[in-house]
């Protein structure tokens, strides 16, 4: 996950995500609040051992949301996430994800962090707002997402559920591609996967020489720690180029995903993309310039 959304893109995103997501998962005030008596030991809450939320459940197959605060199945977020599931399957020509994904929605950041600190100290140290993990168990693995009710929950859920849904049908998604697709699909519907902040940062960093585009370099990164914000941005950009550039590039990506489902790892993707774009880095630079021009036009129209 990206740590922050700042700068010129923020007002644009605020319009699309903004305040409406703040209470995405909450009852509106006029609805009946959860009775306090339902809690077993409110006085000792702070000293309770960290545990997983479980009292309320909503299923959006194959995803099961669990929380200790009331979830309303008819919240727009849930139908949006069902659309996301269908869109990923259709865009990427993947079979339906059927493996259950459990999404644990903690009520507060404190509860979330306290649980992670106890159960997943390594994840806790990374300090992120949301995680997806595939946890081995006898006979398979559990697909789990942990997060809490924050202002960014919509984007965080879209991001982590992309990981989970991909993982349900492809066991080994290369790290750059996993993050690139998650960054693409975390964008709200209607935005065509465009992350305005990524576009602006990449354009600025390319102009100043701080960034250099290289898919072969990204493909060599295998450790979680290798992925820093610049790597997330660049992974997003390659995913966007393949999904929104030439149809042949999309075909390369889709064929590659199918091969990743097989028993034998298909090796790097970059050489295949070179058959579509003789100079992929230049093609991506031009793609980003087009996206920037489009964003400027949209901003001008909105004024
Ligand atoms: Zn991610």
């Amino acid at each position: 996950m990206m740590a922050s959304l700042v700068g010129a893109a923020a007002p644009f995103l605020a319009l699309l995500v903004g305040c409406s997501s703040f209470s995405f998962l909450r009852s509106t005030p006029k609805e009946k609040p959860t009775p306090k008596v339902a809690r077993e030991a409110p006085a000792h809450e702070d000293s309770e051992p960290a545990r997983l939320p479980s009292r309320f459940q909503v299923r959006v197959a194959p995803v099961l949301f669990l929380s200790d605060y009331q979830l309303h199945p008819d919240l727009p977020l849930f139908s949006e996430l069902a659309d996301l599931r269908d869109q990923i399957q259709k865009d990427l020509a993947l079979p339906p994800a059927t493996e259950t994904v459990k999404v644990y929605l903690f009520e507060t950041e404190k509860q979330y962090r306290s649980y992670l600190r106890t159960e997943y100290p390594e994840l806790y140290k990374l300090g992120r707002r949301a995680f997806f993990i595939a946890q081995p168990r006898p006979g398979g693995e559990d697909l789990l997402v942990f997060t809490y009710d924050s202002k960014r929950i919509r984007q965080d859920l879209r991001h982590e559920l992309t990981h989970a849904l991909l993982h349900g049908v492809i066991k080994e998604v290369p790290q750059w591609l996993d993050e690139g697709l998650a960054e693409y699909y975390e964008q709200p519907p209607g935005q065509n996967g465009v992350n305005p902040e990524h576009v602006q940062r990449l354009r600025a960093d390319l102009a100043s020489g701080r960034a250099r585009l290289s898919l072969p370099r990204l493909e060599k990164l295998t450790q979680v720690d290798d992925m820093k914000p610049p790597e997330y941005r660049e992974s997003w950009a390659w995913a966007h180029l393949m999904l929104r550039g030439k149809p042949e590039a999309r075909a390369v990506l889709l064929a590659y995903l199918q091969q990743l489902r097989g028993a034998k790892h298909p090796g790097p993707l970059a050489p295949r993309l070179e058959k579509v774009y003789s100079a992929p880095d230049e093609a991506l630079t031009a793609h980003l310039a087009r996206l920037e021009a489009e964003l400027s036009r949209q901003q001008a129209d909105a004024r």
Side-chain angles (χ1 to χ4, degrees), residues 168-206:
V169 291
I170 306 173
K171 286 304 154 200
E172 299 273 334
V173 187
Q175 183 170 246
W176 74 272
L177 183 56
D178 206 10
E179 294 303 344
L181 290 171
E183 293 280 309
Y184 178 95
Y185 285 109
E186 77 174 29
Q187 294 304 313
Q191 211 165 305
N192 297 334
V194 175
N195 180 320
E197 196 209 9
H198 286 355
V199 174
Q200 280 157 359
R201 272 303 292 269
L202 279 162
R203 290 285 294 157
D205 288 353
L206 286 168

Side-chain angles (χ1 to χ4, degrees), residues 1-298:
M1 278 302 310
M2 298 297 300
S4 64
L5 271 169
V6 290
F12 177 63
L13 281 166
L15 192 71
L16 293 156
V17 186
C19 305
S20 61
S21 68
F22 189 55
S23 57
F24 247 130
L25 292 165
R26 299 300 192 142
S27 311
T28 52
K30 61 181 180 295
E31 287 169 60
K32 218 168 66 187
T34 311
K36 279 272 184 284
V37 289
R39 295 191 176 261
E40 282 167 21
H44 301 109
E45 230 166 37
D46 276 357
S47 55
E48 271 180 32
R51 60 179 185 83
L52 285 172
S54 62
R55 289 182 55 219
F56 297 97
Q57 303 190 356
V58 172
R59 183 177 285 278
V60 182
V63 185
L64 182 65
F65 296 87
L66 300 103
S67 78
D68 279 344
Y69 57 94
Q70 190 145 19
L71 295 174
H72 287 268
D74 51 357
L75 282 172
L77 178 64
F78 292 122
S79 58
E80 180 183 314
L81 293 174
D83 292 345
L84 173 71
R85 169 202 63 200
D86 298 345
Q87 189 194 352
I88 289 173
Q89 187 193 333
K90 185 167 159 267
D91 283 359
L92 305 180
L94 294 171
T98 52
E99 272 190 63
T100 299
V101 179
K102 285 185 182 165
V103 177
Y104 291 103
L105 295 163
F106 289 84
E107 189 162 11
T108 65
E109 180 175 359
K110 193 179 161 201
Q111 288 165 356
Y112 162 78
R113 298 221 180 277
S114 146
Y115 180 78
L116 284 188
R117 194 172 53 226
T118 314
E119 300 296 328
Y120 300 97
E122 294 308 310
L123 296 185
Y124 172 76
K125 278 185 225 150
L126 294 172
R128 297 182 188 176
R129 287 189 312 271
F131 284 100
F132 161 69
I133 60 166
Q135 187 165 277
R137 62 163 157 76
E141 49 188 13
D142 291 323
L143 307 183
L144 310 171
V145 172
F146 303 102
T147 191
Y148 62 95
D149 193 11
S150 79
K151 286 183 187 179
R152 297 276 301 275
I153 192 158
R154 180 189 188 189
Q155 191 172 7
D156 290 348
L157 281 176
R158 292 182 64 92
H159 183 106
E160 302 306 331
L161 280 178
T162 302
H163 287 317
L165 294 168
L166 285 174
H167 196 86
V169 291
I170 306 173
K171 286 304 154 200
E172 299 273 334
V173 187
Q175 183 170 246
W176 74 272
L177 183 56
D178 206 10
E179 294 303 344
L181 290 171
E183 293 280 309
Y184 178 95
Y185 285 109
E186 77 174 29
Q187 294 304 313
Q191 211 165 305
N192 297 334
V194 175
N195 180 320
E197 196 209 9
H198 286 355
V199 174
Q200 280 157 359
R201 272 303 292 269
L202 279 162
R203 290 285 294 157
D205 288 353
L206 286 168
S208 70
R210 271 197 304 273
R212 197 176 64 83
L213 303 171
S214 169
L215 184 54
R217 182 187 84 88
L218 282 184
E219 292 200 271
K220 290 194 189 88
L221 307 178
T222 54
Q223 304 299 312
V224 175
D225 288 352
D226 291 338
M227 295 294 287
K228 301 276 191 307
E231 284 74 30
Y232 274 77
R233 277 195 289 275
E234 189 185 341
S235 297
W236 164 82
W238 287 112
H240 199 279
L241 174 71
M242 286 186 279
L243 286 167
R244 296 273 166 182
K246 283 188 188 176
E248 296 91 325
R250 187 188 187 92
V252 162
L253 174 64
L254 266 51
Y256 191 70
L257 289 169
Q258 286 306 323
Q259 289 182 9
L260 285 170
R261 302 190 66 232
K264 191 167 154 280
H265 193 282
L269 185 146
R272 301 158 188 232
L273 199 58
E274 280 165 23
K275 292 186 181 138
V276 176
Y277 297 111
S278 54
D281 49 337
E282 285 170 24
L284 184 53
T285 302
H287 184 73
L288 290 167
R290 276 193 299 276
L291 290 178
E292 189 183 44
E294 213 170 288
L295 287 168
S296 306
R297 264 199 309 278
Q298 283 169 7

